Amino acid sequence: MRGSITVLLLTTAVSSVLTAEAPRPRGVGPEFAKFYKGTGQFTCVSNPSIKLDASRVNDDYCDCPDGSDEPGTSACSYLSSLSPSFPSDASIENTSFALPGYYCKNKGHQPSYISFLSVNDGVCDYDLCCDGSDEWEHVGGLVCEDKCKAIGKEWKKQDELRQKALGAAGKKRKELVSESSRLRQEVESRIHSLKTQIEASEIKVKAAEVALADVEKRERGKVVKNPTKASRVNVLAGLAKDRIEELRESLIEVREQRDSSRERVKELEALLTTFKEEYNPNFNDEGVKRAVRSWEEYAARDKPADADAAHDRDLDEISKPDTETGAIQWADWEGTDDSDIDVLYKIEEYLPKPVRDWVDQKLRDLRTILVDNGVLAASRDSGSESQAVVTARNAIKTAQDELKRDNDQLKTHHEDLDKNYGPDDVFRAMKGQRVTKDSGEYTYELSWLEKTKQKSKKGGSETGMGNFVRVDSIMVDDEVPPDGKGLGSGQRIALRYENGQHCWNGPSRSTLVVLGCAEKDEIWKIVEEEKCVYRMEVGTPAVCEGSLNGNGQAAVGRDEL
């Protein structure tokens, strides 16, 4: 009796274990196992109203509109958007795939899904299905061996390198964020100091305006006599003085030319005399004989008298300035005589200084009152302002220029604080730094937040590909190559550079710089998507952390590296 009970318990336990570990149908992932637990009947995942016999699962015939009855075959692959369209019953809803694909366990590596189109297509897809289970039908005798152990080992090795690179990139990004924070604090500190300077400059301008008003008031109160005009004799004396000086300078110049000519003539005569004495008369050269005869005739003529020393002394005396000879006292003729009005103005010179100062101040006050009330016209000195007024006006202009300069700087710094420098202000620390890459016939250069340009390796000038406009974000869906230099999929930060050099018969050049996570700044790829419209993929540690922020900016997640 006890033995029968033991056998019954073992049978029950084995049945329970077998039921718990019942294998999932081929191609079903663990997250969808709950839909395939029934043993007698199967319900289509997205269409619960359709129920099938469990034997029709993976029978290589598509019964469910969502393809859920064929998780391990390609029978329902026509539901893929990549497959040709087939007529379908419009009354049936949910005709898209309920499953993400064929599930590869990939023991020793990472499980993944592969498209139903790739199931039993005669190709070993080791990049997604390293265990070869997608080719279970062995089409054409194909056998895809399980390579998950080797691939998993290599993947783990590369993953360690990626994680190491990600850690280094994260560290560099923290340094950039720290530097950006420091630079931002400098701008904020400068704004604070500028506000203080502007307050002081405004006070300085107001003080200068008050000082100018006081100076102008004092100048209006001055009693200024009209300038006397020179007489005709004075004018003629001035003209005569200028003319005599001109003639004196001309005389000196002519004498210098005369003395130079005399010396030259003496030198030429000496040369010809030597020639006549030393030439060979037996040498039958008519040209030489004719020159000798001409010299003899010239020497036989009467020579002008030598320079008269007395005459030269007279010329020396005439050439001296009048200030040395004292022949004419020009100051006596150029001065002006005091008029009766001038004498009247000199009366106060005979008064005691206290009285003179009192009278002078009273006259100034009286004139100021008369000028302010329009009784007298303001005094003018030859149509120009006095030096005191000019100095006061210059002081105002200097103070106003300083105030304007401070206000302009304050506006620039405020605009800088409001500018979008990306998540955590990280690009502030990178502004102006350059990254270059040789590609084909050109060398490309990215200047962070400034400009992009290209230059031919054969020489010539640089071509501007765009000037920085703003930080943006875009969606990408790219495969990441084994070296990790790719954008991956998701939202990525992008920098827009526009209004570059005009393209012949086209638009102005522009560049979209899409950023991916990398350990160092590096241009990965440059593509001309349209005429003079470029796309540049760049790796940088600046986008290796963070997530989409409230402004719609995105930083790359950790999975990219």
Side-chain angles (χ1 to χ4, degrees), residues 6 14 55 60 89 102 141 216 260 278 280 298 305 333 335 493 557:
T6 302
V14 170
S55 62
D60 205 21
D89 187 352
Y102 177 90
E216 288 178 335
S260 176
E278 296 181 356
N280 185 2
Y298 171 82
W333 296 94
I493 292 177

Side-chain angles (χ1 to χ4, degrees), residues 368-389:
T368 300
I369 294 172
L370 295 176
V371 170
D372 291 341
N373 288 275
V375 178
L376 292 179
S379 61
R380 292 290 183 268
D381 183 10
S382 302
S384 62
E385 294 180 324
S386 67
Q387 184 60 39
V389 174

Side-chain angles (χ1 to χ4, degrees), residues 351-365:
L351 298 175
K353 187 176 185 305
V355 177
R356 185 168 65 244
D357 293 341
W358 181 85
V359 171
D360 182 72
Q361 185 60 46
K362 292 301 179 183
L363 287 174
R364 289 176 184 274
D365 294 341

Side-chain angles (χ1 to χ4, degrees), residues 98-382:
L99 305 178
Y102 177 90
Y103 181 74
C104 301
K105 295 181 180 179
N106 294 340
K107 188 177 180 180
H109 188 34
Q110 292 184 332
S112 65
Y113 285 96
I114 190 172
S115 172
F116 289 115
L117 290 169
S118 300
V119 177
N120 292 323
D121 63 347
V123 178
C124 297
D125 300 295
Y126 286 121
D127 55 337
L128 293 175
C129 206
C130 61
D131 59 4
S133 62
D134 60 314
E135 298 299 322
W136 53 268
E137 201 170 45
H138 308 300
V139 177
L142 175 69
V143 177
C144 296
E145 60 179 305
D146 187 345
K147 295 186 177 180
C148 286
K149 186 176 181 180
I151 292 175
K153 183 179 180 180
E154 180 62 24
W155 185 90
K156 288 179 181 178
K157 180 180 177 181
Q158 293 297 325
D159 185 60
E160 290 178 357
L161 296 176
R162 285 192 292 268
Q163 293 301 322
K164 183 178 179 180
L166 179 61
K171 183 179 179 181
K172 289 182 180 179
R173 187 180 188 280
K174 288 180 180 178
E175 293 174 355
L176 289 173
V177 172
S178 177
E179 177 64 12
S180 297
S181 177
R182 185 188 66 80
L183 293 174
R184 185 179 181 86
Q185 289 175 1
E186 286 184 358
V187 175
E188 292 172 345
S189 176
R190 180 58 180 158
I191 287 176
H192 180 73
S193 62
L194 279 172
K195 288 180 178 179
T196 304
Q197 287 180 212
I198 288 172
E199 292 177 358
S201 296
E202 289 174 345
I203 294 173
K204 190 174 180 180
V205 169
K206 291 179 180 178
E209 290 173 347
V210 172
L212 175 62
D214 291 342
V215 171
E216 288 178 335
K217 184 176 181 180
R218 288 197 301 271
E219 290 298 312
R220 287 197 303 271
K222 283 186 176 179
V223 181
V224 181
K225 64 178 181 179
N226 291 327
T228 58
K229 295 182 179 179
S231 64
R232 293 182 180 180
V233 175
N234 301 138
V235 174
L236 288 174
L239 294 174
K241 178 183 178 183
D242 294 340
R243 182 59 176 166
I244 290 174
E245 182 65 21
E246 182 180 347
L247 293 173
R248 186 183 67 80
E249 292 176 354
S250 298
L251 175 61
I252 294 173
E253 183 178 354
V254 170
R255 287 188 67 196
E256 291 176 350
Q257 293 176 355
R258 182 203 66 179
D259 294 341
S260 176
S261 298
R262 282 178 176 176
E263 293 297 326
R264 187 173 180 80
V265 169
K266 288 181 181 179
E267 184 178 356
L268 290 174
E269 288 178 349
L271 290 172
L272 291 172
T273 301
T274 303
F275 174 73
K276 176 181 178 299
E277 294 174 352
E278 296 181 356
Y279 93 103
N280 185 2
N282 297 322
F283 186 72
N284 191 16
D285 189 331
E286 290 301 325
V288 174
K289 292 180 179 180
R290 191 163 46 252
V292 172
R293 285 196 300 271
S294 297
W295 161 244
E296 291 175 344
E297 292 174 0
Y298 171 82
R301 297 175 191 168
D302 292 336
K303 294 182 179 181
D306 293 334
D308 187 353
H311 181 64
D312 285 342
R313 285 195 298 272
D314 292 340
L315 292 177
D316 290 338
E317 193 65 24
I318 294 173
S319 299
K320 291 181 180 179
D322 293 329
T323 55
E324 295 183 11
T325 61
I328 302 177
Q329 299 295 332
W330 293 108
D332 297 338
W333 296 94
E334 290 178 326
T336 56
D337 297 331
D338 289 340
S339 63
D340 295 338
I341 297 176
D342 295 327
V343 174
L344 181 62
Y345 275 103
K346 292 182 179 180
I347 291 177
E348 65 178 29
E349 295 181 2
Y350 299 97
L351 298 175
K353 187 176 185 305
V355 177
R356 185 168 65 244
D357 293 341
W358 181 85
V359 171
D360 182 72
Q361 185 60 46
K362 292 301 179 183
L363 287 174
R364 289 176 184 274
D365 294 341
L366 176 61
R367 179 171 176 77
T368 300
I369 294 172
L370 295 176
V371 170
D372 291 341
N373 288 275
V375 178
L376 292 179
S379 61
R380 292 290 183 268
D381 183 10
S382 302

